[in-house]
Amino acid sequence: WACMPEPVLLKIFLYLTPREALTAGQCCKRWNKITRDDYLWKKYFQTDYKIDKNIALKPGAESWSSEYKRLTYNVPMVLTDVLTAHSHQVLHVSFSNNGKMFATCSKDGFVNIWNSSYPSTIKYSHDMRNYSWKYTQYSQFNQSDTLLLVSGVHFGSPHSTSGEIAVFTVGQNSSRLRCRVVNRPYDIFGTWFTDQYLLSGDLNWLAHLISTSILWLNKANQEIDSEHVPIMTTLYKFYNRNASSIRAIMVANCPWLDDSNQNAPSSTSSPSTSSTAASATEDAEEDRCVGNPLSHVKINQNASTSCTFRADTSDFPFWPLDNTDYASPIQYLDEFRKEYEDSYYESSDECDVDDDIDDNEIDEEEVDDLDNLCPKYLIFSTGSKTYTPHQVGFKRIGKVNFPRRIDPGPSLQERIALRERKRELENSNQGRIEPNWGDYDSVADRFDNVDKLIDLHGHIIGMGLSPDHRYLYVNSRPWPKNYVIRNPLEPPPIAQEIDIHVIDLATLKKVGNMLRAHKAYTPNTECFFIFLDVCDNYVASGAEDMFAYLWDRYYGVCLSKYQHADVVNSVAFNPKDNEMLVTTSDDYEIKVWRSLSKAKQLGIQTVGRAVEFKNQQKTRNR
């Protein structure tokens, strides 16, 4: 053994498990040196985690051995809390930006705010049934963590789309209702636009299968000083056809966008819900709209103009796996990994609010944070071929002018004169002519254009932004290939697997895809949102197979799955601690998962353990 060449020793050690190799390394200095060889750990890493050999070491990582240790000890893996305060299905969970709190929404009508420290306890609880809510479905903290946006569904008929948004203050010692805003349809959810302004929606029908979605910019407080001071204004008005509408709105801070193009004229081509063009036209549009190579550079004019293309999965092959319990890896284009290191904090940090803002520093009367807006994208799901959402829409948000005073409108004398004029026109058979809403070109001047559409050819059921707002991850259930939709009210059948698509917001180009990743079983008419979340190191998503799944964000490999007794609706990482993950389910439970390292550091007695996707074979192949 003393004379054996090191290459031969390395080959022998490759037959051992990492634990066996570390034990053998305690025998002598020479073997200890072998166990510290990074080539050995590279092979262990590629074998145990099924990493493609062509994928290089993650930028910024010290070594392959440190990466192996990270995926072993620093991935949320052990169950440390099971919270059962809700008496019905738990639909959503969201963290505060400082990581000290998280909020949960449930069909029991409550929104609970929890302390995230171990053990997690309820800090505040609000029963929204007192406001005629059927249930709460979504929540989001503002940038300074002083306000909480809660979206819910009103009591009504089974097919009612009526919803509402409530804003609560979140202080050190109290939490109270600050304002309520109408939100229709309820699956718009709503989102924060800035620290003190939020977006809500409304839907108005214009003709058969044709409607308009109006997005409102609202102050997060009720004005009490004067009845002439507005609290909301119209931000955008979009045209919908084939019974579709704008849903699941999000706002991304994009400081890399070119300010000089902020008010660039939109293309006069089809709106967000226009009919799909011929395939040749789509291919030309796709080539024109892919943008610059991945980098934080100014986006040229072509990348901002209105265009639509279908997501092509030909560059992202599906790898069949022997183990059907193992979720597919995320297949990235090479550009993603080349830009991964640069995209960590360059985007959102320039637009974020200091996490340590004191509650008393927020003036409840008015805080106007619209003057120096960070460049933003409005992101939403929509459709054009059928009413189910199958497209991701992007709208560049330019300068926003919020009115200081309400326009009083015409005086009483002027209104009387207008009414008399209207009667004269009706009597002379020259009454008002209703616009032809079915002909978009004739009414296009009444609506705002969408800058970019990406058609995913499937039912979109979830979207999540990376922490730097550079990448958008989308859950979708694909349609059959080449399926032709003949009736917009009869959407295509959808797969029982969920795909995850990755879109770079710097180029509005798809850079990653994960096919047939995790499971969903409901039909297209009953499909619901499965929320996913993205942190610096990992991507996680719920699923209908009673598990949540977690992938490494850079390597794309599935690392673990988290057991529940029913559908897992939502997942959320602690933004200040990637080693903490919260999952919520239809089994009424909220589960808190922490890493082995964190559990040991806090001295936590674990309740259970996640299923780890790792090669556990004792006999290893080279």
Side-chain angles (χ1 to χ4, degrees), residues 355-419:
D355 290 338
D356 298 327
I357 292 181
D358 185 77
D359 297 343
N360 297 326
E361 295 180 14
I362 303 298
D363 183 1
E364 291 201 3
E365 291 186 359
E366 180 176 5
V367 177
D368 193 349
D369 49 3
L370 295 177
D371 294 335
N372 298 309
L373 277 181
C374 172
K376 298 175 184 289
Y377 268 131
L378 173 68
I379 305 171
F380 51 87
S381 62
T382 185
S384 62
K385 306 169 190 175
T386 179
Y387 69 88
T388 58
H390 57 90
Q391 296 171 322
V392 181
F394 300 89
K395 176 67 176 177
R396 171 70 187 276
I397 300 177
K399 183 177 176 57
V400 175
N401 295 315
F402 198 91
R404 300 296 179 182
R405 291 186 63 83
I406 296 177
D407 183 3
S411 64
L412 177 60
Q413 183 176 0
E414 292 170 336
R415 290 198 298 270
I416 293 174
L418 288 172
R419 186 168 61 181

Side-chain angles (χ1 to χ4, degrees), residues 510-521:
K510 198 171 75 158
V511 295
N513 194 24
M514 180 175 55
L515 300 179
R516 312 300 187 263
H518 39 310
K519 300 290 184 180
Y521 304 110

Side-chain angles (χ1 to χ4, degrees), residues 54 83 93 97 158 165 177 201 217 243 254 259 285 288 308 317 341 352 371 414 484 520 554 557 603:
N54 296 320
L83 311 176
V93 57
N97 295 282
I165 294 173
L177 180 65
L217 178 63
C254 305
D259 291 335
E285 287 292 287
R288 185 171 67 85
T308 307
E341 183 178 17
D352 284 346
D371 294 335
E414 292 170 336
V484 178
Y554 176 77
V557 64

Side-chain angles (χ1 to χ4, degrees), residues 23-38:
T23 301
Q26 299 177 11
C27 293
C28 63
K29 291 183 178 180
R30 187 164 185 246
W31 285 18
N32 184 268
K33 180 181 178 182
I34 293 293
T35 60
R36 296 177 184 275
D37 192 306
D38 212 41

